[in-house]
Coordinates of all heavy atoms in Angstrom, one line a residue:
G15 N -0.2 33.4 -16.3 CA 1.3 33.6 -16.5 C 2.1 33.3 -15.3 O 3.3 33.3 -15.3
G16 N 1.4 33.0 -14.1 CA 2.2 32.8 -12.9 C 2.7 31.4 -12.8 O 2.6 30.5 -13.7
S17 N 3.2 31.1 -11.6 CA 3.8 29.7 -11.4 C 3.4 29.2 -10.1 O 3.0 29.9 -9.1 CB 5.4 29.9 -11.4 OG 5.9 30.3 -12.6
R38 N -4.7 15.5 -13.9 CA -5.6 16.6 -13.5 C -7.0 16.3 -14.1 O -7.2 15.6 -15.0 CB -5.2 17.9 -14.0 CG -5.1 18.1 -15.5 CD -4.4 19.4 -15.9 NE -4.4 19.7 -17.3 CZ -3.8 20.7 -17.9 NH1 -3.1 21.6 -17.1 NH2 -3.8 20.9 -19.2
V48 N -0.8 14.4 -16.9 CA -0.1 15.6 -17.1 C 1.4 15.3 -17.3 O 2.0 15.7 -18.3 CB -0.3 16.6 -16.0 CG1 0.6 17.8 -16.2 CG2 -1.8 17.0 -16.0
A49 N 2.0 14.6 -16.4 CA 3.4 14.3 -16.4 C 3.6 13.1 -15.5 O 2.9 12.8 -14.6 CB 4.2 15.4 -15.9
A57 N 11.4 11.0 -17.7 CA 10.2 11.8 -17.5 C 9.3 11.9 -18.8 O 9.9 11.9 -19.9 CB 10.5 13.2 -17.1
F58 N 8.1 12.1 -18.6 CA 7.1 12.3 -19.7 C 6.2 13.4 -19.3 O 5.8 13.6 -18.2 CB 6.3 11.0 -19.9 CG 4.9 11.2 -20.6 CD1 4.9 11.3 -21.9 CD2 3.8 11.5 -19.8 CE1 3.7 11.6 -22.6 CE2 2.6 11.7 -20.5 CZ 2.5 11.8 -21.8
S59 N 5.8 14.2 -20.3 CA 4.8 15.2 -20.1 C 3.9 15.3 -21.3 O 4.3 15.1 -22.4 CB 5.5 16.6 -19.8 OG 6.3 17.0 -20.9
A60 N 2.6 15.7 -21.0 CA 1.6 15.8 -22.1 C 1.9 17.0 -23.0 O 2.6 18.0 -22.6 CB 0.2 16.0 -21.4
D61 N 1.5 16.9 -24.2 CA 1.7 18.0 -25.2 C 1.2 19.3 -24.7 O 1.8 20.3 -24.9 CB 1.0 17.6 -26.5 CG 1.7 16.5 -27.2 OD1 2.8 16.2 -26.9 OD2 1.1 15.9 -28.2
S62 N 0.1 19.3 -24.0 CA -0.6 20.5 -23.5 C 0.3 21.3 -22.5 O 0.0 22.5 -22.3 CB -2.0 20.2 -22.9 OG -1.8 19.3 -21.8
V63 N 1.2 20.6 -21.9 CA 2.0 21.3 -20.8 C 3.5 21.3 -21.1 O 4.2 21.9 -20.3 CB 1.7 20.6 -19.4 CG1 0.2 20.7 -19.1 CG2 2.3 19.2 -19.4
R64 N 3.9 20.6 -22.2 CA 5.3 20.5 -22.4 C 5.9 21.8 -22.7 O 5.4 22.7 -23.4 CB 5.5 19.6 -23.6 CG 7.0 19.1 -23.8 CD 7.1 18.0 -24.8 NE 6.3 16.8 -24.3 CZ 5.6 16.1 -25.1 NH1 5.4 16.4 -26.4 NH2 4.9 15.0 -24.7
G65 N 7.0 22.1 -22.0 CA 7.7 23.4 -22.1 C 7.3 24.3 -21.0 O 7.9 25.4 -20.8
R66 N 6.2 24.0 -20.3 CA 5.7 24.9 -19.3 C 5.8 24.1 -17.9 O 6.1 24.8 -16.9 CB 4.3 25.3 -19.5 CG 4.1 26.1 -20.8 CD 2.7 26.7 -20.9 NE 1.7 25.6 -20.9 CZ 0.7 25.5 -20.1 NH1 0.5 26.3 -19.1 NH2 -0.2 24.5 -20.2
F67 N 5.5 22.9 -17.9 CA 5.5 22.1 -16.7 C 6.7 21.2 -16.7 O 7.1 20.6 -17.7 CB 4.2 21.2 -16.5 CG 3.0 22.0 -16.3 CD1 2.9 23.3 -16.5 CD2 1.8 21.3 -16.0 CE1 1.7 24.0 -16.3 CE2 0.6 21.9 -15.8 CZ 0.5 23.3 -16.0
T68 N 7.3 21.0 -15.5 CA 8.4 20.1 -15.3 C 8.2 19.2 -14.1 O 8.0 19.7 -13.0 CB 9.7 20.9 -15.2 OG1 9.9 21.7 -16.3 CG2 10.9 19.9 -15.1
I69 N 8.3 17.9 -14.3 CA 8.2 17.0 -13.2 C 9.6 16.5 -12.8 O 10.5 16.4 -13.7 CB 7.4 15.7 -13.6 CG1 7.1 14.9 -12.4 CG2 8.0 14.9 -14.7 CD1 6.0 13.8 -12.6
L80 N 5.9 19.0 -9.3 CA 5.5 19.4 -10.6 C 5.6 21.0 -10.6 O 4.8 21.6 -9.9 CB 4.0 19.0 -10.8 CG 3.5 19.4 -12.2 CD1 4.3 18.5 -13.3 CD2 2.0 19.1 -12.4
Q81 N 6.6 21.4 -11.3 CA 6.8 22.9 -11.4 C 6.0 23.3 -12.6 O 6.2 22.9 -13.7 CB 8.3 23.2 -11.6 CG 8.6 24.7 -11.9 CD 8.3 25.5 -10.6 OE1 8.7 25.1 -9.5 NE2 7.7 26.6 -10.8
M82 N 5.1 24.2 -12.3 CA 4.2 24.7 -13.4 C 4.4 26.2 -13.6 O 4.2 27.0 -12.7 CB 2.7 24.5 -12.9 CG 2.4 23.1 -12.6 SD 0.7 22.8 -12.2 CE 0.5 23.7 -10.7
N83 N 4.8 26.5 -14.8 CA 5.1 27.9 -15.2 C 4.2 28.3 -16.3 O 3.6 27.5 -17.0 CB 6.6 28.0 -15.7 CG 7.6 27.7 -14.6 OD1 7.4 27.9 -13.4 ND2 8.7 27.1 -15.0
S84 N 4.1 29.6 -16.5 CA 3.3 30.2 -17.6 C 1.9 29.6 -17.6 O 1.3 29.2 -18.6 CB 3.9 29.9 -19.0 OG 5.2 30.4 -19.1
L85 N 1.3 29.6 -16.4 CA 0.0 29.0 -16.2 C -1.1 29.7 -17.0 O -1.1 31.0 -17.1 CB -0.3 28.9 -14.7 CG 0.4 27.8 -14.0 CD1 0.4 28.1 -12.5 CD2 -0.3 26.5 -14.3
K86 N -2.1 29.0 -17.5 CA -3.2 29.5 -18.2 C -4.5 29.1 -17.5 O -4.5 28.1 -16.8 CB -3.2 28.9 -19.6 CG -1.9 29.0 -20.4 CD -1.9 28.2 -21.7 CE -0.6 28.3 -22.4 NZ -0.7 27.5 -23.7
D89 N -5.5 25.6 -17.4 CA -4.8 24.6 -16.5 C -5.5 24.5 -15.2 O -5.2 23.6 -14.3 CB -3.4 25.2 -16.2 CG -2.5 25.2 -17.4 OD1 -2.5 24.2 -18.2 OD2 -1.7 26.2 -17.5

Side-chain angles (χ1 to χ4, degrees):
S17 298
R38 65 188 182 187
V48 173
F58 158 84
S59 58
D61 289 344
S62 59
V63 305
R64 194 167 298 138
R66 300 187 298 121
F67 292 10
T68 302
I69 189 169
L80 184 68
Q81 178 67 44
M82 305 185 294
N83 298 327
S84 302
L85 282 160
K86 306 174 182 180
D89 295 318

